[in-house]
Amino acid sequence: MFSGALQDLADELALLPGVGPKGASRIAFHILGAPEDEVGRLIEALNAVKEKVRLCERCFNVAEEPLCAVCRDPRRDQTVICVVGEPKDVIAVERTREYHGSYHVLGGAISPIRGIGPDDLHIRELLARLGAEPVQEVILATDPNIEGEATATYLARALRTLEVPVTRLASGLPVGGDLEYADEVTLSRALEGRRSL
Amino acid sequence: MFSGALQDLADELALLPGVGPKGASRIAFHILGAPEDEVGRLIEALNAVKEKVRLCERCFNVAEEPLCAVCRDPRRDQTVICVVGEPKDVIAVERTREYHGSYHVLGGAISPIRGIGPDDLHIRELLARLGAEPVQEVILATDPNIEGEATATYLARALRTLEVPVTRLASGLPVGGDLEYADEVTLSRALEGRRSL
């Protein structure tokens, strides 16, 4: 490119997830032609996220106050804890509109390859919550991949002595999918978890 | 989403070209977790583009000084003008490393549907350049689509009286493509423009 500033912007944009070099240069040109106030709002929004957003003191979900919106909501059943890996997983569960309990965000998953052990996640804080709060059920909703399963297995073992019911999200065939295209592991899980009708 | 600031950022990001709602929320979470200085550099780059980048007084390419880098370069052949639609087309031509002349950026293409006529483009300025500069060749490198072709046709007619050689980029089969998948129009053009070997 010709303009140093445009190239600098494209370089920075290319660091964002899902934005390749072509997309970055397309966005840079869009910014060049965009009205001042649109760019101003984008810059303000970037600043606001870094300044305002923090983690909930209780569940480590994203929040703009000491407690997140779920923890502050008296209509939510605070005796049920859904344990997820990341704040974005909270959004995925919320999108179902079927869950009305609280959350606990681990901040990742156990991964020996990336050097992430149980002490790097908010597991100690989960155990502290279970000691202090009258919890009726812990739902392990970590990702259904190797790291998420390893984390769920670790947690199930760690929670065994606490006499609180621990459940895991069902694995099986995705709704709307084709049996033909299901991978063996998913199909095996679906068979294992079959229900009587 | 839970946090107003995160949602605001995702909303702003979703306005960018090529960024959908899912990509926007992924980028918003990335920003949340990104180091302060990475976000700072992005904000600075956004500001710099709006503050520093302007259009070259001679060719309307992007520039950070009155003249763009190509117009200022004494090694470029300033007697050849490659006419393109947008500044990003300059980048595409530069990427070939085969062109060593100057440019003229029209700032769009003639499009009756969008209400863009010749007077909305930098065509008057091109004619003024041709009157004032010792131009040896004008290469019409507008897009090979309907609007670009219409613009090239208009320019060819407008330049006819000036006795300067006017050429158009060749249309034909893209290198590396399959004959089988070529559309009829491209294949017709490739036939028309066939060369003896």
Side-chain angles (χ1 to χ4, degrees), chain B residues 116-167:
Chain B
I116 301 171
D119 292 343
D120 301 312
L121 306 176
H122 299 300
I123 291 178
R124 200 174 304 120
E125 292 89 342
L126 174 63
L127 296 174
R129 273 182 76 177
L130 289 168
E133 298 175 19
V135 178
Q136 305 281 343
E137 182 181 0
V138 174
I139 303 170
L140 300 179
T142 53
D143 287 326
N145 56 25
I146 294 177
E147 300 179 349
E149 293 288 356
T151 310
T153 306
Y154 178 91
L155 285 174
R157 211 169 298 161
L159 302 180
R160 200 173 288 161
T161 54
L162 294 176
E163 290 186 2
V164 58
V166 177
T167 58

Side-chain angles (χ1 to χ4, degrees), chain A residues 102-129:
Chain A
S102 73
Y103 291 93
H104 192 85
V105 181
L106 297 172
I110 293 172
S111 169
I113 291 172
R114 295 192 219 168
I116 301 172
D119 293 343
D120 301 312
L121 307 175
H122 300 302
I123 291 178
R124 199 175 301 121
E125 292 90 342
L126 174 63
L127 297 174
R129 273 181 77 177

Side-chain angles (χ1 to χ4, degrees), chain A residues 1-5 9 12 17 27 29-32 34 41 43 47 49-50 53 61-62 64 70 87 90-91 94, chain B residues 1-5 12 17 27 29-32 34 41 43 47 49-50 53 61-62 64 70 87 90-91 94:
Chain A
M1 276 210 217
F2 287 117
S3 149
L9 177 57
E12 290 300 328
I27 296 174
F29 273 111
H30 170 87
I31 294 290
L32 180 63
R41 271 183 286 123
I43 290 174
N47 271 321
V49 161
K50 296 309 276 185
V53 183
N61 184 15
V62 290
E64 294 183 25
V70 176
V90 171
I91 292 164
E94 284 299 292
Chain B
M1 276 211 215
F2 286 119
S3 148
E12 290 300 329
I27 295 174
F29 274 111
H30 170 87
I31 294 291
L32 180 64
R41 270 183 287 124
I43 290 174
N47 270 322
V49 162
K50 296 308 276 185
V53 182
N61 184 16
V62 291
E64 295 183 26
V70 175
V90 171
I91 293 165
E94 284 300 291

Side-chain angles (χ1 to χ4, degrees), chain A:
Chain A
M1 276 210 217
F2 287 117
S3 149
L6 263 182
Q7 184 62 61
D8 288 350
L9 177 57
D11 289 346
E12 290 300 328
L13 290 167
L15 299 176
L16 302 176
V19 181
K22 289 225 166 182
S25 107
R26 197 168 154 217
I27 296 174
F29 273 111
H30 170 87
I31 294 290
L32 180 63
E36 288 287 342
D37 66 317
E38 186 189 319
V39 182
R41 271 183 286 123
L42 175 59
I43 290 174
E44 213 171 281
L46 284 163
N47 271 321
V49 161
K50 296 309 276 185
E51 278 162 18
K52 286 190 201 162
V53 183
R54 46 176 160 173
L55 297 183
C56 172
E57 289 176 1
R58 179 169 170 249
C59 79
F60 301 95
N61 184 15
V62 290
E64 294 183 25
E65 298 183 39
L67 291 180
C68 75
V70 176
C71 285
R72 275 184 287 126
D73 191 340
R75 289 163 305 176
R76 308 281 308 215
D77 182 355
Q78 304 289 351
T79 69
V80 180
I81 301 179
C82 178
V83 180
V84 296
E86 302 280 356
K88 52 192 154 200
D89 300 325
V90 171
I91 292 164
V93 176
E94 284 299 292
R95 229 181 273 129
T96 68
R97 296 168 183 266
E98 297 286 336
Y99 180 67
H100 309 291
S102 73
Y103 291 93
H104 192 85
V105 181
L106 297 172
I110 293 172
S111 169
I113 291 172
R114 295 192 219 168
I116 301 172
D119 293 343
D120 301 312
L121 307 175
H122 300 302
I123 291 178
R124 199 175 301 121
E125 292 90 342
L126 174 63
L127 297 174
R129 273 181 77 177
L130 290 167
E133 298 175 18
V135 178
Q136 306 279 343
E137 183 182 359
V138 174
I139 302 170
L140 300 179
T142 52
D143 286 328
N145 56 25
I146 294 177
E147 299 178 350
E149 293 287 357
T151 310
T153 306
Y154 178 91
L155 285 174
R157 209 170 296 161
L159 301 180
R160 200 174 287 161
T161 54
L162 294 176
E163 290 185 3
V164 58
V166 177
T167 57
R168 175 94 179 102
L169 290 190
S171 278
L173 298 172
V175 178
D178 272 16
L179 196 74
E180 172 180 18
Y181 300 128
D183 64 286
E184 313 87 85
V185 183
T186 301
L187 198 49
S188 305
R189 290 288 180 83
L191 267 172
E192 261 173 55
R194 67 190 181 279
R195 297 176 184 209
S196 53
L197 293 175

Side-chain angles (χ1 to χ4, degrees), chain B residues 16-157:
Chain B
L16 302 175
V19 180
K22 290 225 165 183
S25 109
R26 196 167 155 219
I27 295 174
F29 274 111
H30 170 87
I31 294 291
L32 180 64
E36 288 287 341
D37 66 317
E38 186 188 320
V39 182
R41 270 183 287 124
L42 175 59
I43 290 174
E44 211 171 284
L46 284 164
N47 270 322
V49 162
K50 296 308 276 185
E51 280 163 19
K52 285 191 204 160
V53 182
R54 47 175 159 174
L55 297 183
C56 172
E57 289 175 2
R58 178 168 172 252
C59 78
F60 302 95
N61 184 16
V62 291
E64 295 183 26
E65 298 183 42
L67 290 181
C68 75
V70 175
C71 285
R72 274 183 288 124
D73 191 340
R75 287 163 305 175
R76 309 281 305 215
D77 182 355
Q78 305 290 350
T79 69
V80 180
I81 302 180
C82 178
V83 179
V84 296
E86 303 280 355
K88 49 192 154 201
D89 300 325
V90 171
I91 293 165
V93 176
E94 284 300 291
R95 227 180 276 128
T96 67
R97 295 168 185 268
E98 296 287 336
Y99 181 67
H100 309 290
S102 73
Y103 291 94
H104 192 85
V105 181
L106 297 173
I110 293 173
S111 169
I113 291 174
R114 297 192 215 170
I116 301 171
D119 292 343
D120 301 312
L121 306 176
H122 299 300
I123 291 178
R124 200 174 304 120
E125 292 89 342
L126 174 63
L127 296 174
R129 273 182 76 177
L130 289 168
E133 298 175 19
V135 178
Q136 305 281 343
E137 182 181 0
V138 174
I139 303 170
L140 300 179
T142 53
D143 287 326
N145 56 25
I146 294 177
E147 300 179 349
E149 293 288 356
T151 310
T153 306
Y154 178 91
L155 285 174
R157 211 169 298 161

